[in-house]
């Protein structure tokens, strides 16, 4: 039985790992959205709509005529002080030309930051009653923000791995893999479902809507699809690992119960042989000599011999 503090520490590490995975998943989502291939199309679609709304049909007709007369000349649309070659918009309608300008503005904003993009936006006269083009949330779609989100994601992911390592250390047997796997599955599944729901909510849109809305939808649904695929794949891998650990643990228990218990060796009781009695010590001195003479006499004559009084007296004197 493990101490209670180990069980409490395991649960605390599991909750911390779950929270860190959710945070790292959110930061990964922001890092992916601010990726160049995703950020510029999304920002371009939203900015282009604002540019097209602030260019009148008469103004665009003049710009189109100048571009057609001299394709190599530099032309611009009034909401943005950004010049481009007339050949880039010759034969295009206003929405398509606004998309070209919006893409270049989004490219400048991504590389140089939101402030650089705002410096290219022209403030219209108050008499026109128009407002300047607003970047809004797309101002965050920059390379610097992408680097920041990526670094934060790596830091939180490292902390999440550390917490998962603690969970594995506090677990036993198959739980060393199963507990972290289920923690990852519980944390990543909501992120995958969230991006699936977001992509479905935006949807493909209506074919009759404007080109800018369609471009924005395509950019967003593409990013949502990529993110949902990543999180659902991580969830599926974690669930498979957890299920395999459960099956492995169940098989181990079944095998351990089926194996017969090892028989204890039987130790036979043995009785040590009784020690032989020690021989009485032979008498020393004259007594030993007398006993030796008597034994010799007995062996020669076959009858016991009795020592004479003089011999006995001499023996006693020697003993004394």
């Amino acid at each position: 039985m493990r101490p209670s503090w180990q069980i409490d520490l395991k649960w605390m590490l599991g909750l911390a790992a779950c929270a860190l995975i959710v945070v790292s998943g959110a930061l990964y989502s922001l890092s992916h959205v601010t990726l160049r291939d995703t950020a510029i199309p999304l920002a371009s679609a939203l900015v282009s709509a604002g540019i097209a709304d602030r260019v009148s049909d008469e103004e665009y007709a003049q710009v189109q005529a100048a571009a057609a007369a001299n394709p190599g000349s530099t032309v611009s649309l009034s909401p943005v002080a950004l010049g481009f070659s007339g050949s880039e918009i010759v034969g295009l309608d206003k929405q398509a030309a606004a998309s070209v300008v919006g893409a270049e503005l989004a490219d400048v904003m991504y590389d140089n930051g939101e402030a650089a993009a705002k410096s290219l936006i022209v403030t219209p006269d108050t008499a026109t009653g128009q407002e300047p083009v607003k970047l809004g949330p797309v101002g965050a779609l920059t390379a610097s923000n992408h680097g920041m989100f990526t670094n934060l994601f790596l830091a939180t992911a490292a902390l999440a791995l550390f917490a998962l390592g603690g969970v594995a250390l506090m677990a036993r047997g198959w739980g060393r893999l199963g507990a972290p796997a289920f923690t990852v599955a519980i944390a990543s599944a909501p992120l995958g479902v969230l991006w699936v729901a977001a992509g479905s909510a935006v949807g493909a849109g209506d074919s009759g809507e404007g080109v800018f809305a369609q471009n924005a939808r395509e950019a967003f649904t593409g990013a949502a699809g990529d993110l949902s695929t990543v999180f659902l794949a991580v969830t599926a891998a974690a669930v498979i690992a957890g299920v395999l650990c459960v099956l492995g643990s169940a098989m181990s228990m079944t095998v351990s119960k089926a194996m017969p218990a090892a028989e204890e060796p039987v130790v036979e009781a043995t009785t040590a042989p009784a020690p032989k009695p020690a021989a009485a010590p032979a008498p020393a001195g004259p007594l030993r000599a007398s006993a030796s003479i008597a034994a010799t006499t007995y062996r020669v004559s076959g009858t016991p011999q009795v020592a004479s009084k003089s011999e006995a007296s001499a023996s006693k004197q020697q003993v004394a």
Side-chain angles (χ1 to χ4, degrees), residues 64-78:
Q64 185 65 225
N70 187 4
S73 62
T74 300
V75 297
S76 63
L77 299 181
S78 60

Side-chain angles (χ1 to χ4, degrees), residues 82-110:
L82 188 63
F84 51 92
S85 175
S87 60
E88 297 182 42
I89 65 168
V90 171
L92 301 179
D93 58 11
K94 185 174 67 172
Q95 286 77 15
S99 297
V100 173
V101 178
E104 293 190 13
L105 182 62
D107 191 74
V108 171
M109 181 178 65
Y110 188 83

Side-chain angles (χ1 to χ4, degrees), residues 169-187:
L169 186 62
M170 293 293 105
R172 291 182 176 180
W174 287 94
R176 294 185 183 276
L177 178 61
F182 280 117
T183 303
V184 172
I186 292 172

